[in-house]
Amino acid sequence: MTAEPLLAIRGLRKSFGGLQAVRGVDLDVADGAIVGLIGPNGSGKTTVLNLVTGEIAADGGSVRLAGQEMIGLPAFRVCRSRIARTFQLVRILPGMTTRENVMVGRLFGAEPTTPARARDEVGALLECVGLAARADQAGSQLTYIDQKRVELARALATRPRVLLLDEWLAGLNPSELQIGIALIRRLRDEGVTIVMIEHVMEAIRALCDHVVVMSAGALIASGAPDAVLSDPEVARVYLGEDDA
Ligand SMILES: Nc1ncnc2c1ncn2[C@@H]1O[C@H](COP(=O)(O)OP(=O)(O)OP(=O)(O)O)[C@@H](O)[C@H]1O
């Protein structure tokens, strides 16, 4: 752990009408860590990501990346500040090819470059996520899993320091899951700090240095994966809501 966390979330709040979706969340993410964000459906996990990335406006609180405040910035500025994400329900550009989708990240993220250079550079990312053979295929023709790979490559193309994954491993078969786990580990080893929302506990145990649990908009537990996943209160919120 470094003295200053790379990402420091304090008192983050968001209500939708009368529903308090996020009620005062504090979270430190150390540089180089993989942090797991778990909890039952509707507990507020994706809303935290939406607040961090500027996709929706917070009611209160602070999100600092290396000391720089993100709250109040539009989403594209958060991205250029080096926070990137994938979406729970994939959002690729279906009329563009795989390569063009990833180029969008390179052209509009941090340190944007020319289209010609972006075209050359994204080749390595397509290779990294296993999409080199489908570089020129239309996004609309890709399988769901390949669309998830496109989203990951596009996020990486923006050159993030912090990568937020929203159930990126969901829906993978057992061998794809092992490949996905190895890929996330490799990204961390290459210097990307990762926060991952995930229901696949095998992946949480395999990857995370630290796990935090949300229930009804609040953090109810945090710590090392084995300790958190054996916490009776954590089991209760999952099993009680039939949601593990
Ligand atoms: N834009 C919105 N407008 C109204 N309510 C919302 C909005 N976004 C989220 N919510 C509500 O806020 C609560 C938290 O939702 P959120 O998607 O953050 O949960 P989650 O923990 O990510 O769940 P899941 O695991 O199902 O993705 C839910 O009750 C949800 O219906």
Side-chain angles (χ1 to χ4, degrees):
M1 293 278 282
T2 53
E4 267 299 298
L6 178 59
L7 188 70
I9 299 176
R10 293 287 176 277
L12 195 60
R13 288 188 292 112
K14 181 68 183 180
S15 293
F16 299 107
L19 174 78
Q20 287 184 288
V22 176
R23 34 174 105 201
V25 164
D26 295 338
L27 177 63
D28 283 349
V29 180
D31 195 3
I34 303 180
V35 172
L37 178 53
I38 68 172
N41 288 337
S43 55
K45 305 178 300 294
T46 296
T47 303
V48 168
L49 260 51
N50 288 341
L51 294 168
V52 169
T53 55
E55 180 148 336
I56 58 174
D59 294 338
S62 162
V63 174
R64 291 163 74 86
L65 176 74
Q68 188 194 348
E69 184 60 65
M70 298 289 115
I71 292 293
L73 297 182
F76 78 93
R77 290 219 179 277
V78 176
C79 175
R80 286 184 186 165
S81 303
R82 297 182 186 270
I83 298 179
R85 73 173 298 177
T86 65
F87 293 91
Q88 187 177 0
L89 299 174
V90 289
R91 298 189 192 176
I92 67 161
L93 299 154
M96 291 185 170
T97 66
T98 300
R99 186 193 308 278
E100 289 164 347
N101 266 277
V102 180
M103 284 173 65
V104 168
R106 188 65 191 91
L107 291 171
F108 293 97
E111 301 171 14
T113 183
T114 63
R117 281 199 178 177
R119 178 168 286 277
D120 286 346
E121 286 180 22
V122 301
L125 285 172
L126 294 174
E127 195 79 50
C128 167
V129 300
L131 277 178
R134 288 182 279 294
D136 298 313
Q137 205 165 318
S140 58
Q141 289 170 10
L142 295 172
T143 63
Y144 187 69
I145 300 304
D146 281 345
Q147 291 187 24
K148 291 188 119 180
R149 291 189 168 112
V150 170
E151 269 211 337
L152 179 59
R154 184 178 60 191
L156 292 170
T158 68
R159 303 195 160 179
R161 290 186 76 182
V162 176
L163 175 65
L164 309 173
L165 300 176
D166 198 346
E167 297 191 41
W168 192 75
L169 295 165
L172 302 188
N173 68 33
S175 63
E176 290 168 339
L177 179 63
Q178 294 314 315
I179 293 169
I181 287 173
L183 176 56
I184 292 172
R185 188 177 288 126
R186 177 175 151 199
L187 296 176
R188 189 269 292 278
D189 291 347
E190 289 175 359
V192 183
T193 299
I194 294 168
V195 178
M196 54 188 289
I197 296 177
E198 196 51 71
H199 289 294
V200 180
M201 292 306 149
E202 182 185 347
I204 293 287
R205 285 183 195 278
L207 288 169
C208 295
D209 308 293
H210 191 82
V211 177
V212 294
V213 187
M214 281 190 83
S215 176
L219 293 191
I220 60 155
S222 78
D226 283 345
V228 166
L229 296 177
S230 59
D231 180 335
E233 175 63 8
V234 173
R236 193 189 65 74
V237 300
Y238 265 107
L239 299 175
E241 301 182 28
D242 193 23
D243 213 354

